[in-house]
Amino acid sequence: GQNIDQPTEMTATEGAIVQINCTYQTSGFNGLFWYQQHAGEAPTFLSYNVLDGLEEKGRFSSFLSRSKGYSYLLLKELQMKDSASYLCAVREPYNQGGKLIFGQGTELSVKP
Amino acid sequence: KAGVTQTPRYLIKTRGQQVTLSCSPISGHRSVSWYQQTPGQGLQFLFEYFSETQRNKGNFPGRFSGRQFSNSRSEMNVSTLELGDSALYLCASSTDWTRLYEQYFGPGTRLTVT
């Protein structure tokens, strides 16, 4: 089966650092994606990891450990505009179709 | 470059009716995927089209169907609507089905079934 777990909600303070975890148990793996979705808007792509390690992109970094079925998204120097839902998604291998399987999302609230 | 567009943006239908939603991908994108988003189930994959062919299908009943035209525009249809079909329907496009890291979502169609 396919199972992707993320915390439902998190709260952090402006200027701080927050780490959003994602664990997955899937029958195959072909990459892990993070998306940001503001209320009432479409998801926007943040990061993509297919190999173990840390990918850094400005204030956002994403880490992957395939052996542990684990990823996290790290947001530094939090801003109020970072308040949003963060979606973790695992891609199936191409020979299984290659579709994205999403977690339920983590609702992040940034407080002043 | 124009983004992904979806029409209509909002729709109210009655149980038992059918509905057709439209998605126009970014120019040059040939892959279109459809997702259903609800508070309880999150974002779930419906189906994906590439070059007018359905490449992939999620675990939804046969009431949900779609197609893609030669200009890459896509439509999805839901027949015999049920209350549980109330959701935000999102489409996303990419240049091809292997390049999901370049996938862009449209604003969605909010469907309410009464």
Side-chain angles (χ1 to χ4, degrees):
Chain A
Q2 320 281 39
N3 192 45
I4 299 174
D5 285 318
Q6 308 178 233
T8 306
E9 297 177 331
M10 296 184 73
T11 302
T13 305
E14 195 176 13
I17 298 173
V18 71
Q19 178 174 309
I20 303 174
N21 296 325
C22 171
T23 57
Y24 63 90
Q25 292 172 306
T26 56
S27 56
F29 179 85
N30 190 22
L32 188 141
F33 295 74
W34 284 95
Y35 286 85
Q36 179 191 60
Q37 187 176 24
H38 285 101
E41 297 182 12
T44 55
F45 169 78
L46 286 178
S47 69
Y48 169 62
N49 295 69
V50 66
L51 299 176
D52 291 351
L54 188 68
E55 294 278 344
E56 296 185 82
K57 195 186 291 187
R59 295 189 299 113
F60 291 30
S61 303
S62 57
F63 172 83
L64 175 67
S65 169
R66 288 172 296 170
S67 62
K68 295 181 179 177
Y70 168 69
S71 173
Y72 67 72
L73 180 70
L74 194 71
L75 291 74
K76 303 174 189 174
E77 301 168 13
L78 279 173
Q79 302 175 9
M80 299 298 290
K81 67 178 183 180
D82 296 329
S83 292
S85 182
Y86 291 85
L87 308 172
C88 169
V90 170
R91 183 166 197 186
E92 290 179 331
Y94 292 148
N95 62 7
Q96 292 179 22
K99 67 176 180 282
L100 287 180
I101 303 162
F102 283 84
Q104 292 280 353
T106 298
E107 193 68 40
L108 174 66
S109 296
V110 180
K111 308 287 187 191
Chain B
K1 191 189 259 191
V4 179
T5 58
Q6 292 186 245
T7 57
R9 292 292 313 278
Y10 302 92
L11 204 50
I12 300 175
K13 289 286 190 179
T14 306
R15 269 182 303 176
Q17 289 185 313
Q18 75 162 18
V19 66
T20 299
L21 312 181
S22 180
C23 172
S24 292
I26 291 172
S27 177
H29 285 193
R30 294 194 295 158
S31 174
V32 174
S33 297
W34 286 91
Y35 298 87
Q36 181 196 65
Q37 188 172 33
T38 59
Q41 299 295 321
L43 227 163
Q44 293 186 288
F45 173 80
L46 279 157
F47 26 66
E48 181 203 346
Y49 288 87
F50 178 73
S51 292
E52 301 179 66
T53 302
Q54 187 180 88
R55 267 205 66 252
N56 215 341
K57 191 176 190 312
N59 297 323
F60 279 81
R63 300 185 297 106
F64 291 81
S65 63
R67 58 178 176 168
Q68 186 179 36
F69 302 95
S70 58
N71 62 358
S72 295
R73 189 177 70 85
S74 178
E75 289 181 347
M76 68 163 281
N77 185 277
V78 188
S79 62
T80 319
L81 283 166
E82 300 177 0
L83 294 178
D85 298 332
S86 294
L88 180 66
Y89 290 88
L90 293 160
C91 86
S93 75
S94 56
T95 49
D96 68 66
W97 60 274
T98 63
R99 302 173 75 87
L100 288 188
Y101 47 85
E102 296 177 345
Q103 181 173 245
Y104 296 89
F105 281 84
T109 295
R110 173 76 61 186
L111 172 65
T112 302
V113 182
T114 62

